[in-house]
Amino acid sequence: VQLQASGGGLVQAGESLRLSCAASGSITSINYMGWYRQAPGTQRELVAGISNLDDINYADSVKGRFTISRDNAKNTVYLHMNSLKPEDTGVYYCGAIITITPTKPATYHWGQGTQVTVSS
């Protein structure tokens, strides 16, 4: 199983970006997909997550600005980031809880990070 993230970049404060993360490989089901970020010197934190039942949660710092969505047919999760702030800068990682085979427990998988830099 692989998670391929894309869409990061350098933007100015107030601008928007869209991140994408596609899961591929031997997948029976994806129970949960989320976006996390890590700024230098800080721990990785959850930004937004969405379950296979479309239960969604956001970090307080991004509510009203970021929107997470998923395309189940493409095994892809998106993060639409609007009104970006310098404090949104960091490496963004996607993670997913994936069932590979029905006979084994679901496992957590990480994609490679994508850098988001917001200048003031």
Side-chain angles (χ1 to χ4, degrees), residues 4-89:
Q4 182 67 45
S6 61
L10 171 64
V11 297
Q12 292 188 335
E15 294 184 337
S16 300
L17 278 175
R18 189 185 80 160
L19 305 182
S20 301
C21 177
S24 62
S26 180
I27 297 172
T28 295
S29 63
I30 301 178
N31 306 338
Y32 178 89
M33 300 188 85
W35 286 98
Y36 302 74
R37 70 183 174 199
Q38 187 168 19
T42 69
Q43 290 188 330
R44 192 174 300 185
E45 61 174 354
L46 177 67
V47 175
I50 182 168
S51 75
N52 57 347
L53 300 178
D54 287 337
D55 292 324
I56 292 174
N57 60 302
Y58 295 101
D60 288 342
S61 60
V62 307
K63 285 180 181 176
R65 300 187 298 121
F66 291 11
T67 301
I68 190 170
S69 62
R70 62 189 283 176
D71 184 333
N72 292 327
K74 296 180 179 180
N75 287 338
T76 299
V77 64
Y78 304 96
L79 186 66
H80 301 260
M81 305 185 292
N82 297 321
S83 302
L84 282 161
K85 303 176 180 179
E87 51 263 43
D88 294 319
T89 294

Coordinates of all heavy atoms in Angstrom, one line a residue, residues 4-89:
Q4 N 0.3 8.6 -1.9 CA 1.1 9.6 -2.7 C 0.4 10.9 -2.5 O -0.7 11.2 -3.0 CB 1.1 9.2 -4.1 CG 1.9 10.1 -5.0 CD 3.4 10.1 -4.7 OE1 4.0 9.0 -4.6 NE2 4.0 11.2 -4.6
A5 N 1.2 11.8 -1.8 CA 0.6 13.2 -1.6 C 1.2 14.1 -2.6 O 2.4 14.0 -3.0 CB 1.0 13.6 -0.1
S6 N 0.4 15.2 -2.9 CA 0.9 16.2 -3.8 C 0.1 17.5 -3.5 O -0.9 17.5 -2.8 CB 0.7 15.8 -5.2 OG -0.7 15.5 -5.5
G7 N 0.6 18.6 -4.1 CA -0.1 19.8 -4.0 C 0.5 20.9 -3.2 O 0.0 22.0 -3.1
G8 N 1.5 20.6 -2.5 CA 2.2 21.7 -1.6 C 2.8 22.7 -2.5 O 2.9 22.7 -3.7
G9 N 3.3 23.8 -1.8 CA 4.0 24.8 -2.5 C 4.2 26.1 -1.6 O 3.9 26.0 -0.4
L10 N 4.6 27.1 -2.3 CA 4.9 28.4 -1.6 C 3.8 29.4 -2.0 O 3.6 29.6 -3.2 CB 6.2 28.9 -2.0 CG 6.6 30.3 -1.5 CD1 6.6 30.4 0.0 CD2 7.9 30.8 -2.1
V11 N 3.1 29.9 -1.1 CA 2.0 30.9 -1.4 C 2.1 32.1 -0.4 O 2.8 32.0 0.6 CB 0.6 30.3 -1.3 CG1 0.4 29.2 -2.3 CG2 0.3 29.8 0.1
Q12 N 1.4 33.1 -0.7 CA 1.3 34.3 0.2 C 0.1 34.1 1.1 O -0.8 33.4 0.8 CB 1.2 35.6 -0.6 CG 2.5 35.9 -1.4 CD 2.4 37.3 -2.0 OE1 1.4 37.8 -2.3 NE2 3.6 37.8 -2.2
A13 N 0.2 34.8 2.2 CA -0.9 34.8 3.2 C -2.2 35.2 2.5 O -2.2 36.1 1.7 CB -0.6 35.7 4.4
G14 N -3.3 34.5 2.8 CA -4.6 34.8 2.2 C -4.9 33.9 0.9 O -6.0 33.9 0.5
E15 N -3.9 33.3 0.4 CA -4.1 32.5 -0.8 C -4.5 31.1 -0.4 O -4.7 30.7 0.7 CB -2.8 32.5 -1.6 CG -2.5 33.8 -2.2 CD -1.3 33.8 -3.1 OE1 -0.4 32.9 -3.0 OE2 -1.1 34.7 -4.0
S16 N -4.7 30.3 -1.5 CA -5.3 28.9 -1.3 C -4.4 27.9 -1.9 O -3.6 28.2 -2.8 CB -6.7 28.8 -1.9 OG -7.6 29.8 -1.3
L17 N -4.5 26.7 -1.4 CA -3.9 25.5 -2.0 C -4.8 24.3 -1.8 O -5.6 24.3 -0.9 CB -2.5 25.2 -1.2 CG -1.3 25.9 -1.6 CD1 -0.2 25.5 -0.7 CD2 -0.9 25.7 -3.0
R18 N -4.6 23.3 -2.7 CA -5.3 22.1 -2.5 C -4.3 20.9 -2.5 O -3.5 20.8 -3.4 CB -6.3 21.8 -3.7 CG -7.2 20.6 -3.4 CD -8.1 20.3 -4.5 NE -7.4 19.6 -5.6 CZ -8.1 18.8 -6.5 NH1 -9.4 18.7 -6.5 NH2 -7.4 18.2 -7.5
L19 N -4.4 20.1 -1.5 CA -3.5 19.0 -1.3 C -4.3 17.7 -1.7 O -5.5 17.7 -1.5 CB -3.0 18.8 0.1 CG -2.3 20.0 0.7 CD1 -1.8 19.6 2.1 CD2 -1.1 20.4 -0.1
S20 N -3.7 16.8 -2.3 CA -4.3 15.5 -2.7 C -3.4 14.3 -2.2 O -2.2 14.5 -2.1 CB -4.4 15.4 -4.2 OG -5.1 16.4 -4.8
C21 N -4.1 13.3 -1.8 CA -3.4 12.1 -1.4 C -4.1 10.9 -1.9 O -5.3 10.7 -1.6 CB -3.3 12.0 0.1 SG -2.5 10.5 0.8
A22 N -3.5 10.1 -2.8 CA -4.1 8.9 -3.4 C -3.5 7.6 -2.8 O -2.2 7.5 -2.7 CB -3.9 8.9 -4.9
A23 N -4.3 6.7 -2.4 CA -3.9 5.4 -1.9 C -3.9 4.4 -3.0 O -4.9 4.4 -3.8 CB -4.8 5.0 -0.7
S24 N -2.9 3.6 -3.1 CA -2.9 2.5 -4.1 C -2.3 1.3 -3.5 O -1.7 1.3 -2.5 CB -2.0 3.0 -5.3 OG -0.7 3.2 -4.9
G25 N -2.5 0.2 -4.2 CA -2.0 -1.1 -3.8 C -3.2 -2.1 -3.4 O -4.3 -1.9 -3.9
S26 N -2.9 -3.1 -2.7 CA -3.9 -4.1 -2.3 C -4.7 -3.5 -1.2 O -4.3 -3.6 0.0 CB -3.2 -5.4 -1.9 OG -4.1 -6.3 -1.5
I27 N -5.9 -3.0 -1.5 CA -6.7 -2.4 -0.5 C -8.1 -3.0 -0.5 O -8.7 -3.0 -1.6 CB -6.8 -0.9 -0.8 CG1 -5.5 -0.2 -0.6 CG2 -7.9 -0.2 0.1 CD1 -5.4 1.2 -1.1
T28 N -8.6 -3.4 0.6 CA -10.0 -3.9 0.7 C -10.9 -2.7 1.0 O -11.9 -2.6 0.4 CB -10.1 -5.0 1.8 OG1 -9.4 -6.1 1.4 CG2 -11.6 -5.4 2.0
S29 N -10.5 -1.9 2.0 CA -11.3 -0.8 2.4 C -10.4 0.3 3.1 O -9.4 -0.1 3.7 CB -12.5 -1.1 3.2 OG -12.0 -1.7 4.5
I30 N -10.8 1.5 3.0 CA -10.1 2.6 3.7 C -11.1 3.1 4.8 O -12.1 3.7 4.4 CB -9.7 3.7 2.7 CG1 -8.7 3.1 1.7 CG2 -9.0 4.8 3.5 CD1 -8.3 4.2 0.7
N31 N -10.7 2.9 6.0 CA -11.7 3.3 7.1 C -11.6 4.8 7.4 O -12.6 5.4 7.9 CB -11.3 2.5 8.3 CG -11.3 1.0 8.0 OD1 -11.9 0.5 7.0 ND2 -10.6 0.2 8.8
Y32 N -10.4 5.4 7.3 CA -10.2 6.7 7.7 C -9.0 7.3 6.9 O -8.1 6.6 6.6 CB -9.9 6.8 9.2 CG -9.6 8.1 9.8 CD1 -10.6 8.9 10.3 CD2 -8.3 8.6 9.8 CE1 -10.3 10.1 10.9 CE2 -8.0 9.8 10.4 CZ -9.0 10.6 10.9 OH -8.8 11.8 11.5
M33 N -9.2 8.6 6.5 CA -8.1 9.3 5.9 C -7.9 10.7 6.6 O -8.9 11.3 6.9 CB -8.3 9.5 4.4 CG -8.4 8.2 3.7 SD -8.5 8.3 1.9 CE -6.7 8.4 1.5
G34 N -6.7 11.1 6.8 CA -6.5 12.3 7.5 C -5.2 13.1 7.0 O -4.4 12.5 6.3
W35 N -5.2 14.3 7.3 CA -4.1 15.2 7.0 C -3.5 15.7 8.3 O -4.2 16.1 9.2 CB -4.5 16.4 6.2 CG -4.8 16.0 4.7 CD1 -6.0 15.8 4.1 CD2 -3.8 15.9 3.7 NE1 -5.8 15.5 2.8 CE2 -4.5 15.5 2.5 CE3 -2.4 16.0 3.7 CZ2 -3.8 15.3 1.3 CZ3 -1.8 15.7 2.5 CH2 -2.5 15.4 1.3
Y36 N -2.2 15.6 8.4 CA -1.4 16.0 9.5 C -0.4 17.0 9.1 O 0.0 17.0 7.9 CB -0.7 14.8 10.2 CG -1.7 13.7 10.6 CD1 -2.3 12.9 9.7 CD2 -2.0 13.6 12.0 CE1 -3.1 11.9 10.1 CE2 -2.9 12.6 12.4 CZ -3.4 11.7 11.4 OH -4.3 10.8 11.8
R37 N 0.1 17.9 10.0 CA 1.2 18.8 9.6 C 2.2 18.8 10.8 O 1.9 18.6 11.9 CB 0.7 20.2 9.3 CG 0.2 21.0 10.5 CD -0.4 22.3 10.0 NE -1.0 23.0 11.1 CZ -1.8 24.0 10.9 NH1 -2.2 24.4 9.6 NH2 -2.4 24.7 11.9
Q38 N 3.4 19.1 10.4 CA 4.5 19.2 11.3 C 5.4 20.4 11.0 O 5.9 20.5 9.9 CB 5.3 17.9 11.3 CG 6.4 17.9 12.4 CD 7.0 16.5 12.6 OE1 6.9 15.7 11.7 NE2 7.6 16.2 13.7
A39 N 5.4 21.4 11.9 CA 6.3 22.5 11.7 C 7.6 22.2 12.4 O 7.7 21.4 13.2 CB 5.6 23.8 12.3
P40 N 8.7 22.9 12.0 CA 10.0 22.7 12.6 C 9.9 22.8 14.1 O 9.4 23.7 14.6 CB 10.9 23.7 11.9 CG 10.2 24.1 10.6 CD 8.7 23.9 10.9
G41 N 10.5 21.8 14.8 CA 10.5 21.8 16.2 C 9.3 21.5 16.9 O 9.2 21.6 18.1
T42 N 8.3 21.0 16.2 CA 7.0 20.7 16.8 C 6.6 19.3 16.5 O 7.2 18.6 15.6 CB 5.8 21.6 16.3 OG1 5.6 21.4 14.9 CG2 6.3 23.1 16.5
Q43 N 5.6 18.8 17.2 CA 5.1 17.4 16.9 C 4.1 17.5 15.8 O 3.5 18.5 15.5 CB 4.5 16.9 18.2 CG 5.4 16.5 19.3 CD 4.8 15.8 20.5 OE1 3.6 16.0 20.7 NE2 5.5 15.0 21.1
R44 N 4.0 16.3 15.2 CA 3.0 16.2 14.1 C 1.6 16.3 14.7 O 1.3 15.7 15.8 CB 3.1 14.9 13.4 CG 2.3 14.7 12.1 CD 2.7 13.4 11.4 NE 4.1 13.3 11.0 CZ 4.6 12.3 10.3 NH1 3.8 11.4 9.9 NH2 5.9 12.3 10.0
E45 N 0.7 17.1 14.1 CA -0.6 17.3 14.6 C -1.7 17.0 13.6 O -1.4 17.2 12.4 CB -0.8 18.7 15.2 CG -0.6 19.8 14.1 CD -1.0 21.2 14.6 OE1 -1.4 21.3 15.7 OE2 -0.8 22.2 13.8
L46 N -2.8 16.6 14.0 CA -3.9 16.3 13.1 C -4.5 17.7 12.6 O -4.8 18.5 13.5 CB -5.0 15.5 13.8 CG -6.2 15.2 12.9 CD1 -5.9 14.3 11.7 CD2 -7.3 14.6 13.8
V47 N -4.6 17.8 11.3 CA -5.3 19.0 10.8 C -6.8 18.7 10.5 O -7.6 19.5 10.8 CB -4.6 19.4 9.5 CG1 -5.3 20.6 8.8 CG2 -3.1 19.8 9.8
A48 N -7.0 17.6 9.8 CA -8.4 17.2 9.5 C -8.4 15.7 9.1 O -7.5 15.2 8.6 CB -8.9 18.0 8.3
G49 N -9.6 15.1 9.4 CA -9.7 13.7 9.1 C -11.2 13.4 8.7 O -12.1 14.2 9.0
I50 N -11.3 12.4 7.9 CA -12.6 12.0 7.4 C -12.7 10.5 7.4 O -11.8 9.8 7.0 CB -12.9 12.6 6.0 CG1 -14.3 12.2 5.5 CG2 -11.8 12.1 5.0 CD1 -14.7 13.0 4.3
S51 N -13.8 10.0 8.0 CA -14.0 8.5 8.1 C -14.8 8.0 6.8 O -15.2 8.8 6.0 CB -14.8 8.1 9.3 OG -16.2 8.5 9.1
N52 N -14.9 6.7 6.7 CA -15.6 6.1 5.6 C -17.1 6.4 5.7 O -17.8 6.1 4.8 CB -15.3 4.6 5.5 CG -15.6 3.9 6.7 OD1 -15.9 4.4 7.8 ND2 -15.6 2.5 6.6
L53 N -17.5 6.9 6.9 CA -18.9 7.3 7.1 C -19.1 8.8 6.9 O -20.1 9.3 7.3 CB -19.4 6.8 8.4 CG -19.4 5.3 8.7 CD1 -19.9 5.0 10.1 CD2 -20.2 4.5 7.6
D54 N -18.0 9.4 6.4 CA -18.0 10.9 6.3 C -18.1 11.7 7.6 O -18.6 12.8 7.6 CB -19.1 11.3 5.3 CG -18.8 11.0 3.8 OD1 -17.6 10.8 3.5 OD2 -19.8 10.8 3.1
D55 N -17.7 11.0 8.7 CA -17.5 11.8 9.9 C -16.3 12.6 9.7 O -15.2 12.1 9.4 CB -17.4 10.9 11.1 CG -18.7 10.2 11.4 OD1 -19.8 10.8 11.2 OD2 -18.7 9.0 11.8
I56 N -16.3 13.9 10.0 CA -15.2 14.8 9.7 C -14.8 15.5 11.0 O -15.7 15.9 11.8 CB -15.6 15.8 8.6 CG1 -15.8 15.1 7.3 CG2 -14.5 16.9 8.5 CD1 -16.3 16.1 6.2
N57 N -13.5 15.7 11.2 CA -13.1 16.5 12.3 C -11.9 17.4 11.8 O -11.2 17.1 10.9 CB -12.6 15.7 13.5 CG -11.5 14.7 13.2 OD1 -11.7 13.9 12.3 ND2 -10.4 14.8 13.9
Y58 N -11.9 18.6 12.4 CA -10.8 19.6 12.1 C -10.2 20.1 13.4 O -10.7 20.1 14.5 CB -11.5 20.8 11.4 CG -12.1 20.6 10.1 CD1 -13.5 20.5 10.0 CD2 -11.3 20.5 9.0 CE1 -14.0 20.2 8.7 CE2 -11.9 20.3 7.7 CZ -13.2 20.2 7.6 OH -13.8 19.9 6.4
A59 N -8.9 20.4 13.2 CA -8.2 21.2 14.3 C -8.9 22.5 14.4 O -9.3 23.1 13.4 CB -6.7 21.3 14.0
D60 N -9.0 23.0 15.6 CA -9.6 24.3 15.9 C -9.0 25.4 15.0 O -9.7 26.3 14.6 CB -9.6 24.7 17.4 CG -10.5 23.8 18.2 OD1 -11.4 23.2 17.6 OD2 -10.3 23.8 19.4
S61 N -7.7 25.3 14.8 CA -7.0 26.4 14.1 C -7.3 26.5 12.7 O -7.0 27.5 12.0 CB -5.4 26.2 14.3 OG -5.1 24.9 13.7
V62 N -7.9 25.5 12.1 CA -8.2 25.5 10.6 C -9.7 25.5 10.4 O -10.1 25.6 9.2 CB -7.6 24.3 9.9 CG1 -6.1 24.3 10.2 CG2 -8.2 23.0 10.3
K63 N -10.6 25.4 11.4 CA -12.0 25.4 11.2 C -12.4 26.7 10.4 O -12.1 27.8 10.8 CB -12.7 25.3 12.5 CG -12.7 23.9 13.1 CD -13.4 23.8 14.4 CE -13.4 22.4 15.0 NZ -14.0 22.3 16.3
G64 N -13.3 26.5 9.4 CA -13.8 27.6 8.6 C -12.9 28.0 7.5 O -13.3 28.8 6.6
R65 N -11.7 27.5 7.5 CA -10.7 27.8 6.4 C -10.4 26.6 5.5 O -10.1 26.7 4.3 CB -9.4 28.4 7.0 CG -9.6 29.7 7.8 CD -8.3 30.3 8.2 NE -7.5 29.4 9.0 CZ -6.3 29.0 8.7 NH1 -5.7 29.3 7.6 NH2 -5.6 28.2 9.6
F66 N -10.3 25.4 6.2 CA -9.9 24.2 5.5 C -11.1 23.3 5.3 O -12.0 23.2 6.2 CB -8.8 23.4 6.2 CG -7.4 24.1 6.3 CD1 -7.3 25.4 5.9 CD2 -6.4 23.4 6.8 CE1 -6.0 26.0 5.9 CE2 -5.1 24.0 6.8 CZ -4.9 25.3 6.4
T67 N -11.1 22.5 4.2 CA -12.2 21.6 4.0 C -11.5 20.3 3.5 O -10.8 20.3 2.5 CB -13.1 22.1 2.9 OG1 -13.7 23.3 3.3 CG2 -14.3 21.1 2.7
I68 N -11.9 19.2 4.2 CA -11.4 17.9 3.8 C -12.5 17.2 3.0 O -13.7 17.3 3.4 CB -10.9 17.1 5.0 CG1 -10.2 15.8 4.5 CG2 -12.1 16.7 5.9 CD1 -9.5 15.0 5.6
S69 N -12.1 16.4 2.0 CA -13.1 15.6 1.2 C -12.4 14.4 0.7 O -11.2 14.3 0.7 CB -13.7 16.4 0.1 OG -12.7 16.8 -0.8
R70 N -13.2 13.4 0.3 CA -12.6 12.2 -0.2 C -13.4 11.7 -1.4 O -14.6 11.9 -1.5 CB -12.5 11.1 0.8 CG -13.8 10.6 1.4 CD -13.5 9.7 2.6 NE -13.1 8.4 2.2 CZ -12.8 7.4 3.1 NH1 -12.8 7.6 4.4 NH2 -12.4 6.2 2.6
D71 N -12.7 11.1 -2.3 CA -13.3 10.4 -3.5 C -13.1 8.9 -3.3 O -12.0 8.4 -3.5 CB -12.7 10.9 -4.8 CG -13.3 10.4 -6.0 OD1 -13.9 9.2 -6.0 OD2 -13.3 11.0 -7.1
N72 N -14.1 8.2 -2.9 CA -13.9 6.8 -2.6 C -13.6 6.0 -3.8 O -12.8 5.0 -3.7 CB -15.2 6.2 -1.9 CG -15.4 6.8 -0.5 OD1 -14.5 7.1 0.2 ND2 -16.7 7.0 -0.2
A73 N -14.1 6.4 -4.9 CA -13.8 5.6 -6.2 C -12.3 5.7 -6.5 O -11.8 4.8 -7.2 CB -14.7 6.1 -7.3
K74 N -11.7 6.8 -6.2 CA -10.3 7.0 -6.5 C -9.4 6.8 -5.3 O -8.1 7.0 -5.4 CB -10.1 8.4 -7.0 CG -10.8 8.7 -8.3 CD -10.5 10.2 -8.8 CE -11.2 10.4 -10.1 NZ -11.0 11.8 -10.5
N75 N -9.9 6.4 -4.1 CA -9.1 6.2 -2.9 C -8.3 7.4 -2.6 O -7.1 7.3 -2.3 CB -8.2 5.0 -3.0 CG -9.0 3.7 -2.9 OD1 -10.1 3.6 -2.4 ND2 -8.5 2.6 -3.4
T76 N -8.9 8.6 -2.8 CA -8.2 9.8 -2.7 C -8.8 10.8 -1.7 O -10.1 10.9 -1.6 CB -8.1 10.5 -4.0 OG1 -7.4 9.7 -5.0 CG2 -7.3 11.9 -4.0
V77 N -8.0 11.5 -0.9 CA -8.5 12.5 0.0 C -7.9 13.8 -0.4 O -6.7 13.9 -0.8 CB -8.1 12.1 1.5 CG1 -6.6 12.1 1.7 CG2 -8.8 13.0 2.5
Y78 N -8.7 14.9 -0.2 CA -8.2 16.2 -0.6 C -8.3 17.1 0.7 O -9.1 16.9 1.6 CB -9.2 16.8 -1.7 CG -9.3 15.9 -2.9 CD1 -10.3 15.1 -3.1 CD2 -8.3 16.0 -3.9 CE1 -10.4 14.3 -4.2 CE2 -8.4 15.2 -5.1 CZ -9.5 14.4 -5.2 OH -9.6 13.6 -6.3
L79 N -7.5 18.1 0.6 CA -7.5 19.1 1.7 C -7.5 20.5 1.0 O -6.5 20.9 0.4 CB -6.4 19.0 2.7 CG -6.4 20.0 3.8 CD1 -7.6 19.7 4.7 CD2 -5.1 20.0 4.7
H80 N -8.6 21.2 1.0 CA -8.7 22.5 0.4 C -8.4 23.5 1.5 O -9.1 23.6 2.5 CB -10.1 22.7 -0.2 CG -10.6 21.7 -1.2 ND1 -10.6 22.0 -2.5 CD2 -11.0 20.5 -1.1 CE1 -11.0 21.0 -3.2 NE2 -11.3 20.0 -2.3
M81 N -7.4 24.3 1.3 CA -6.9 25.2 2.3 C -7.1 26.6 1.7 O -6.5 27.0 0.7 CB -5.4 24.9 2.6 CG -5.2 23.5 3.0 SD -3.5 23.2 3.6 CE -2.6 23.5 2.0
N82 N -7.9 27.4 2.4 CA -8.2 28.8 2.0 C -7.7 29.7 3.1 O -7.5 29.3 4.3 CB -9.7 29.0 1.8 CG -10.3 28.2 0.7 OD1 -9.6 28.0 -0.3 ND2 -11.5 27.6 0.9
S83 N -7.6 31.0 2.8 CA -7.1 32.0 3.7 C -5.9 31.5 4.5 O -5.9 31.6 5.8 CB -8.3 32.3 4.7 OG -9.4 32.8 4.0
L84 N -4.9 31.0 3.8 CA -3.7 30.5 4.5 C -3.0 31.6 5.3 O -3.0 32.7 4.9 CB -2.8 29.9 3.4 CG -3.3 28.5 3.0 CD1 -2.6 28.1 1.6 CD2 -3.0 27.4 4.0
K85 N -2.4 31.1 6.4 CA -1.7 32.0 7.3 C -0.3 31.5 7.4 O 0.0 30.3 7.2 CB -2.4 32.0 8.7 CG -3.8 32.4 8.7 CD -4.4 32.3 10.1 CE -5.9 32.7 10.1 NZ -6.4 32.5 11.5
P86 N 0.7 32.3 7.8 CA 2.0 31.9 8.0 C 2.1 30.7 9.0 O 3.0 29.8 8.8 CB 2.7 33.1 8.5 CG 2.0 34.3 7.9 CD 0.6 33.8 7.9
E87 N 1.3 30.7 10.0 CA 1.3 29.6 10.9 C 0.8 28.3 10.4 O 0.9 27.3 11.1 CB 0.5 30.0 12.2 CG -0.9 30.5 12.0 CD -0.9 32.0 11.9 OE1 0.0 32.6 11.3 OE2 -1.9 32.6 12.5
D88 N 0.3 28.3 9.2 CA 0.0 27.0 8.5 C 1.2 26.3 7.9 O 1.1 25.2 7.4 CB -1.1 27.3 7.4 CG -2.4 27.7 8.0 OD1 -2.9 27.2 9.1 OD2 -3.1 28.6 7.4
T89 N 2.3 27.0 7.9 CA 3.5 26.5 7.3 C 3.9 25.2 7.9 O 3.9 25.1 9.2 CB 4.6 27.5 7.3 OG1 4.3 28.6 6.5 CG2 5.9 26.9 6.9

